[in-house]
Amino acid sequence: MKYAFSIAALAAVGSAGPVVTKRQAAAAVTDVGILNYALTLEHLEDKFYRDGLKNYTEADFAKAGFDSTFYANLREISYDETTHVSFLSTALGDAAVAECTYSFPSTDPASFVALASVLEGVGVSAYLGAAASIMDKDYLTAAGSILTVEARHNAYIRSSIKQSPFPQPFDAPLTFDEVYTLAAGFIVSCPDSNSAKPQLPLKAFPTVTLGTTGPIKSGDTIDLLTPGYTLAPKDGSAPIYAAFVSVTGPIYADVTPMAGGFKVVVPKGVNGQSYVVLTGCKDRVTDDTVAAGPAIVEITNPYPSTA
């Protein structure tokens, strides 16, 4: 239940930011902008861990079932994130964006660790999705070095909450806007000075939240909620599909409209921390075709998957 709370909290963001066409976005993507995008995520993770270690003591974690070894490793994860911020800030120099003000919904050590697992998973997908856009090989190597460490963080924390540390053979990449949609819900405000820094032209898609609690596996029907807005007219004339993100290409599923959202059957081929967007196109998923999302869905299939 606490893990489901963390997923819902992460996905609970509203539509924000300017609409940017695919051609405009492509023209504006630069290595410096990508590094500031990475720095923005590292600032968020760094502050998240610093706040968690300030708000909850080693004794608090022990009462929640996390031993001293885990607490020591958590401090090391926090150190890693602080070091990532320092590394990227030094590389960017005067072009570096500053830390924003954030709001994190964890209320105790258990929910903090559950949310840490989700954030680390998003971080892995963010670096993976950005890799193909980085032109400078040195920057690509640096980003890859951070990606591998974030993946270790994610595997360790997943294991600590009794989830598979490596639930599928391939991680799922997310686009810049998909990551921004998930991250924006934690950002309260940013320094005015950041607007003058070279950044990517990001937009947040409308919110999709998971309305189903408890364990989920392929073949299960889940609810995808679209709070506060409607994607299709009541007569269903505008088609909407669910697309589960995969490195080998989206896995599409038909949806059934319901009050406040859609029902969809989880398809085969996805496992672990997965992402689903709602799209009006069934043959491709781009930032131009995504109607809403992503929502984060933790899927637990037997491994190797027999679902």
Side-chain angles (χ1 to χ4, degrees), residues 3-4 24 35 115 146 150 159 169 196 214 231 238 254 261 270:
Y3 190 80
Q24 289 172 327
L35 290 184
L115 186 53
I146 294 175
E150 298 288 356
S159 180
L231 286 180
D254 292 329
V270 287

Side-chain angles (χ1 to χ4, degrees), residues 7 17 34 49 70 95-96 108 132 149 151 173 177 208 258 262 284 300:
I7 290 176
I34 294 172
Y49 284 108
F70 175 83
D108 53 41
V149 173
D177 287 340
V208 177
M258 56 173 274
F262 301 88
R284 71 187 187 281
T300 306

Side-chain angles (χ1 to χ4, degrees), residues 55-121:
N55 294 336
Y56 312 120
T57 65
E58 182 174 359
D60 293 331
F61 280 99
K63 290 178 182 177
F66 301 101
D67 62 19
S68 59
T69 298
F70 175 83
Y71 182 77
N73 286 333
L74 197 63
R75 293 182 62 184
E76 185 170 349
I77 291 173
S78 179
Y79 171 81
D80 288 347
E81 303 299 354
T82 300
T83 303
H84 292 166
V85 168
S86 176
F87 172 76
L88 291 171
S89 297
T90 299
L92 286 161
D94 292 341
V97 295
E99 181 179 282
C100 298
T101 300
Y102 310 97
S103 177
F104 301 109
S106 64
T107 56
D108 53 41
S111 62
F112 170 81
V113 175
L115 186 53
S117 173
V118 177
L119 285 175
E120 293 288 356

Side-chain angles (χ1 to χ4, degrees), residues 280-291:
C281 186
K282 202 174 183 179
D283 59 7
R284 71 187 187 281
V285 174
T286 69
D287 286 351
D288 294 327
T289 66
V290 170

Side-chain angles (χ1 to χ4, degrees), residues 117-144:
S117 173
V118 177
L119 285 175
E120 293 288 356
V122 172
V124 170
S125 293
Y127 276 100
L128 185 59
S133 298
I134 300 175
M135 300 300 294
D136 186 288
K137 291 183 179 179
D138 290 337
Y139 290 163
L140 180 58
T141 298

Side-chain angles (χ1 to χ4, degrees), residues 5 15 19 45 49 76 88 117 235 256-258 268 283-284 301 307:
F5 158 78
S15 177
V19 174
E45 287 187 303
Y49 284 108
E76 185 170 349
L88 291 171
S117 173
D235 62 7
T256 302
M258 56 173 274
K268 296 179 180 179
D283 59 7
R284 71 187 187 281
N301 293 319

Side-chain angles (χ1 to χ4, degrees), residues 1-10 105 107-108 110-112 114-115 118 161 163 210-216 298:
M1 182 68 70
K2 290 176 180 175
Y3 190 80
F5 158 78
S6 297
I7 290 176
L10 187 58
T107 56
D108 53 41
S111 62
F112 170 81
L115 186 53
V118 177
I161 55 176
Q163 292 177 335
L210 180 65
T212 303
T213 60
I216 296 170
E298 178 67 27

